Structure formats: C-alpha cells, structure tokens
Amino acid sequence: MNTKHLQPGDYLKKILTARVYDVAIESALEPAKALSRRLHNKVLLKREDQQPVFSFKLRGAYNKMVQLTAAQLQQGVICASAGNHAQGVALSAHKLGTRAVVVMPTTTPQLKIEAVKALGGEVVLYGESYSDAYTHAAALEKQQGLTFVHPFDDPDVIAGQGTIAMEILRQHQGPLDAVFVAIGGGGLISGVANYIKAVRPEVRVIGVQMNDSDAMIQSVAAKKRVTLPDVGLFSDGTAVKLVGEETFRVASALVDDYITVDTDAVCAAIKDVFVDTRSIVEPAGALAVAAIKQYVATHKTRGETYAAILCGANMNFDRLRFVAERAGVGEEREALFAVTIPEARGSFRRLCELIGQLPGGPRNVTEFNYRISDAARAHVFVGLTTHGKGESPKIAENFGKHGFDTLDLTHDEMAKEHIRHMVGGHSSLAQDERLLRFVFPERPGALLKFLSLMRPNWNISLFHYRNQGADYGHILVGLQVPPADHKAFERFLDTLGYPYVEETANPAYRLFLQTR
C-alpha cells in the first residue's frame, strides 16, 4: 500500500467525517443478558450482523468508494474478498452506479457468492484463500483499468470501520473495560483502536484470532509481517495469510492484547449469541464472544463491562449441523468417552446404572454408539452432559474405579470429527440379529426401562443414539433374538410401548452392518 502513515489524530478526523450512513445503519448495542449472568460480567453485543449485508464491511467499502473521482467510478472497481467485503463493495457500487468485479476464493460459502451476484457484483472465483484471490484481483485491476478497493489495508476503509467504535462510545457512556474485536486482515481493529485510543484510552482493545489463522498475532510477536503457509477455513471471514502494512502498524501500536480461540469455542459462542438474541452469527462474528468467555475464565473477573463486535452473520445453513454438534463440547457441557466393558450379559445395563449414579447429580446421555466386535470386550462411544469445565477427567476416573477402562475423548479432534460417526460395521458375532429403530422419550430412565423389560438372553449387538435436542430421541438397536423367541420378542415390543420400525430387511443395513 503506497500511502503515508496517518497519525491517531488524523484517523480521528477521518472517522468523524466518514461517509457510511448512506448505506449502513447505526447498529444496536445490546446487553447479552443470559451470557452476562453466567459470566458475572456485563457483556454488550454490537450488532453489526444486522447491517443490510449482514456484516460491518459495507462501512469501509462505501467510505472508500464515495471518495473516488467520477472517472474512476465510470471505469469501475474491483476487490478480493472471502465474502463480506465483497457484498459491501457490490452494494456500494449499486448505490453509486458503478461496475464491481469481485474475486472470491473458491472456498467461499455459496450463500455469500449468491448474495454478491444478487447485488449486481461480477463474481470471479480463484484460489483457496483471500491471499490467492488478492493476487488474481491485482492482475485484473491492471488489465481492465479498475480501481482496487482493499478490504482492510486502506486508511479510508479503516476509517469507515472505525465508525463502529464511535457508535459504541456514544451508545454506552458508562464504564467500559474492554472491546473485543475479531481480526482477519486488521481493518476493523485498526479503525476501532484508533478511535478508542484517541477518545477513551483507558478502554482496552483486545484482538481475537482463530488458533489456525493468527497472522496478526504472529506478526506482532515477530515485529514484522508474517505470511502463514495455510489458514483454517472454519472462520472464512478471518482466513487471511498476510495482514496489511498499515493495519499491522496500527495494531502493533494501539492494540492492548490478543487472544486465540479454537473451533469448539467459536461454536459455543455462536450458541451463546443465539440464546441471547435468537440470531445466528457466522464463525467470524462469534470470535469476540468466544474471547470474552476465555478472558473471564483466565483473569477471574467479576463486575466488569465488555463489548463484543458481532461482525458478521453470513452463515451457510448447512454449517449449522457442525456448529450444533461442537457447541456442547466447546463450552464443555458435553464430555466424550470410549468406555470398555466386558462382553457379558448385564454389562450394558450396569454401565447405564453407573451413568445415573455419577457424582454431581444426574446427567443426560448425549450419545451412545456401540457395535459388537469382540467375544470378550465391548468398546462403547459415550457422550454425557457435564455441569462445568474440567469434569471429563473426573468422570473417566469414576468409570475406571468401577471396572470400566475409559479413554477421555473430549479434546480428541479425530474422535469428535470422525470416529463418533464410524462406530459399527460388519460383525461375525452378530448372529440372529434384528435391527429396530425406536423413538424413546428424551428423559432419564427411558433406556433403563428398555433394558429391564428385555429378556436376559437377548443380547444388544448394536446401539446408536445421538441427542438432537428434541423431546424424543431416535435410537437404532440391534438385538440377537433366536428364532424360537420371535413371538416373545413381539410381546416385548408391545409391552414396551415405544414407537418403532423394524429395519432388519433394510438394504443399507445389509450392505454395511449385517453379519455375512
């Protein structure tokens, strides 16, 4: 970027005179009541997810573009973006009546691609990250004589984003201990830090990055810009390999501290925001909330006031399944275990009884996966609700004391991502197996009722259950029922009273699970 470095006073003037409200709204600053109660600190949410393009990016884009000459606007603009800046540029171009070419990484969620097209932007997909898209956009800029609108490394863009801090300090004039800001390339935090340090320097500005996309943190530590070889793409809005020259300079001088968060923590934060607002933010939008939770846990604070900028809500609907799956583990309200039990009659029931008697009160089973595979031992994948952080080692130890060897998988990435879905397969031991899908009431004791009504000689050879947050759980059970017991088995099903569908003839079962 070829521009002279601006001083904080210069940025303050640029922020105060920024042109953003032709396209942006002054977003609300709302208390997160449930989260505040849990953390014993006041948490305020700056609702940039409510902007017309569901992110803050239109502020900086418009402030840059509205200052272009008539000749530049006639020629058109170009940008590189993972999605949110692209929408800001496309909307601004529509407002100003100019052409917008948008280069996006091929990994960009379809939701953002379609949104840019709907606003009249010309989408070009290139590369796997923002940095790849940027290189291609720079080439197209020269070829077509377009004006490049940088997503972060431009004083006018930075000033546009800084209007968020101006609004926060106007909307909340009481005590404010820290503002937490997600960092991708650094435009947002540069604008926010410039304004806050000029107006209320006692307020701490804390930057937040994903642990697998921490280019700014590494750069500040090295005192020079560091290019990451790869970036994690879960938080695609902050997946930047190299931060800007100007944003690095500003952040190095003005940002008080940095925090990294992981995927599970971000998923938990998305849930926290939903609980308080009934809105769903994208991963980048939840980084600040995840960081506040981590900050409070680390520093043991009480009675302080924090603001989190919810910087975007362009979430692909398909991704919600993953987020919901990981949110419980992220806030450590779910623990995962591999429990080894003797392959003997009554072991399954004894394990269930033990779960109901764990110290700390009753716990719901969130997941239970098992497939008979060994004549002597059975390995069961178990998920349990917890009452707080750090409980999983204690639960594992308790299982061990009662004769069940247990491996704590709560923080095992492969287990959370893959193994939990792969428990099963063909088994030569599963003779006379009948497969049934049951609907169980989602309450403690439902499984024990099932087990107590069963004949002791009907062995459970397969069990798959995952809590989906509904009033009823869907459970797949394999039972070894000798042909001579079929009539008795039908009576058992009638007595049980749970809705069921027999799946023994299901072709998928025959292909992947049935003994051969």
Side-chain angles (χ1 to χ4, degrees), residues 13-24:
K13 182 178 178 181
K14 287 181 79 67
I15 293 167
L16 289 169
T17 58
R19 291 271 303 274
V20 300
Y21 299 109
D22 294 348
V23 292

Side-chain angles (χ1 to χ4, degrees), residues 85-299:
H85 177 63
Q87 291 176 68
V89 169
L91 177 65
S92 300
H94 179 74
K95 178 80 174 175
L96 296 168
T98 188
R99 174 192 178 209
V101 178
V102 179
V103 184
M104 307 176 87
T106 56
T107 52
T108 303
Q110 192 63 30
L111 181 80
K112 296 182 180 181
I113 295 170
E114 295 302 326
V116 171
K117 290 180 178 178
L119 291 166
E122 301 172 27
V123 175
V124 177
L125 296 176
Y126 187 88
E128 293 185 355
S129 70
Y130 164 75
S131 301
D132 299 332
Y134 172 79
T135 302
H136 190 60
L140 291 178
E141 173 195 8
K142 292 174 181 169
Q143 289 172 17
Q144 300 183 27
L146 304 168
T147 298
F148 191 83
V149 181
H150 204 286
F152 48 81
D153 207 20
D154 184 296
D156 291 323
V157 172
I158 291 169
Q161 322 304 24
T163 58
I164 296 172
M166 180 178 69
E167 292 173 11
I168 290 173
L169 297 189
R170 185 167 64 239
Q171 291 166 319
H172 179 79
Q173 297 181 11
L176 183 61
D177 294 281
V179 177
F180 291 76
V181 189
I183 302 176
L188 175 60
I189 200 165
S190 295
V192 168
N194 265 306
Y195 190 85
I196 286 177
K197 291 307 177 183
V199 177
R200 288 187 60 181
E202 79 280 5
V203 177
R204 287 168 61 77
V205 177
I206 299 177
V208 192
Q209 293 201 286
M210 292 293 295
N211 58 355
D212 56 6
S213 302
D214 59 346
M216 182 66 83
I217 293 172
Q218 289 196 34
S219 297
V220 170
K223 295 184 167 50
K224 63 179 182 180
R225 291 196 301 157
V226 172
T227 302
L228 302 183
D230 290 294
V231 288
L233 297 177
F234 173 64
S235 176
D236 55 282
T238 55
V240 175
K241 292 180 181 178
L242 177 67
V243 300
E245 291 179 32
E246 178 68 352
T247 58
F248 168 66
R249 184 188 72 83
V250 172
S252 298
L254 300 179
V255 176
D256 295 288
D257 202 0
Y258 298 89
I259 291 176
T260 59
V261 294
D262 63 19
T263 296
D264 287 348
V266 173
C267 290
I270 291 171
K271 180 182 175 183
D272 292 322
V273 173
F274 175 79
V275 168
D276 264 311
T277 68
R278 297 302 187 268
S279 298
I280 297 171
V281 294
E282 65 185 274
L287 255 63
V289 171
I292 287 176
K293 292 168 67 180
Q294 192 168 305
Y295 184 88
V296 170
T298 302
H299 298 281

Side-chain angles (χ1 to χ4, degrees), residues 23-32 44-59 84 87 111-112 164 167-168 171 182 188 269-270 272-289 308-315:
V23 292
I25 62 167
E26 179 171 319
S27 61
L29 184 69
E30 300 174 354
L44 303 172
L45 305 177
K46 182 59 171 165
R47 299 296 306 278
E48 286 299 290
D49 58 305
Q50 294 184 334
Q51 291 291 352
V53 294
F54 306 104
S55 103
F56 73 96
K57 286 285 193 174
L58 78 172
R59 293 176 183 260
N84 289 344
Q87 291 176 68
L111 181 80
K112 296 182 180 181
I164 296 172
E167 292 173 11
I168 290 173
Q171 291 166 319
L188 175 60
I270 291 171
D272 292 322
V273 173
F274 175 79
V275 168
D276 264 311
T277 68
R278 297 302 187 268
S279 298
I280 297 171
V281 294
E282 65 185 274
L287 255 63
V289 171
I309 299 174
L310 305 186
C311 56
N314 287 295
M315 167 74 92

Side-chain angles (χ1 to χ4, degrees), residues 12 24 33 82 105 226 239 260 262 266 270 274 339 352 359 374 378 407 440 443 463 470 477 481 503:
L12 179 62
K33 294 179 181 177
V226 172
T260 59
D262 63 19
V266 173
I270 291 171
F274 175 79
V339 182
C352 292
D374 185 279
L407 182 63
F440 277 35
R443 63 171 179 261
F463 201 95
V477 184
V481 183
E503 298 284 11

